Amino acid sequence: MNRSEEDGLTVFCGIDWAERHHDVAVVDDTGTLLAKARISDDAAGYSKLLDLLAEHGDSPETPIPVAIETSRGLLVAALRTGDRKVFAISPLAASRYRDRHGVSRKKWSLSALQASPGANAHYRRRREHGDWHNAAQRHLLNRFLGQLHHCLKSRQHFDEQRAFPPLLQTPA
């Protein structure tokens, strides 16, 4: 029985392709990084990749699917021999995804900072604690998404006082 069946996890592999070497990441279905490695673009690198995948439950019966940034080359050809699912992803696709969603996050957080005193205070606290601007925005967005999820799940209306309660001042 492999690790996937024992733990009830689905495992995936992603490969950042380059000319001379490739960076490999093995993650579970929650996005938790299980392993990472750098492999060479030759038979030794392919062997190292197979060993890494085997450590995380890869077998001929249940091959771990692989996403890679190219559809050509020795590594892709070797991966496609057998029943393994190989997903060739355009390197520009990830870049375009980041561009699309990065802009929407910035636009959303700007309007939230202007309209919500609680969001503004939360953002300022994150900045005062050392977060860079983008990290503070991302944290604020995640906070709002968590609140939205709670509201939808519990069928409650959004309450800014509950979402961003004022900090209690401790006596000096």
Side-chain angles (χ1 to χ4, degrees), residues 118-136:
N120 194 319
H122 181 77
Y123 170 82
R124 281 188 280 111
R125 278 194 303 274
R126 297 298 305 181
R127 293 285 288 153
E128 290 167 3
H129 281 63
D131 280 2
W132 291 82
H133 172 70
N134 286 341

Side-chain angles (χ1 to χ4, degrees), residues 64-83:
I64 294 175
V66 174
I68 188 167
E69 275 190 319
T70 187
S71 60
R72 60 183 170 78
L74 173 67
L75 184 60
V76 174
L79 286 168
R80 286 193 170 149
T81 61
D83 293 332

Side-chain angles (χ1 to χ4, degrees), residues 102 105-107 109-110 113 123-124 126-128 130-141:
R105 182 186 77 224
K106 289 177 185 173
K107 287 181 181 178
S109 66
L110 176 62
L113 291 173
Y123 170 82
R124 281 188 280 111
R126 297 298 305 181
R127 293 285 288 153
E128 290 167 3
D131 280 2
W132 291 82
H133 172 70
N134 286 341
Q137 278 186 323
R138 190 171 45 252
H139 194 276
L140 178 60
L141 175 64

Side-chain angles (χ1 to χ4, degrees), residues 107-125 140-141 143-145 147 158-166:
K107 287 181 181 178
W108 172 87
S109 66
L110 176 62
S111 63
L113 291 173
Q114 292 171 343
S116 167
N120 194 319
H122 181 77
Y123 170 82
R124 281 188 280 111
R125 278 194 303 274
L140 178 60
L141 175 64
R143 178 84 178 254
F144 262 122
L145 289 175
Q147 291 296 321
F158 178 79
D159 179 6
E160 183 162 342
Q161 292 300 317
R162 287 183 73 190
F164 300 103

Side-chain angles (χ1 to χ4, degrees), residues 7 9 18 28 85 92 146 148-149 153:
D7 297 342
L9 296 176
D28 66 15
K85 290 183 181 180
L92 295 176
L148 176 61
H149 175 73
K153 193 172 179 179

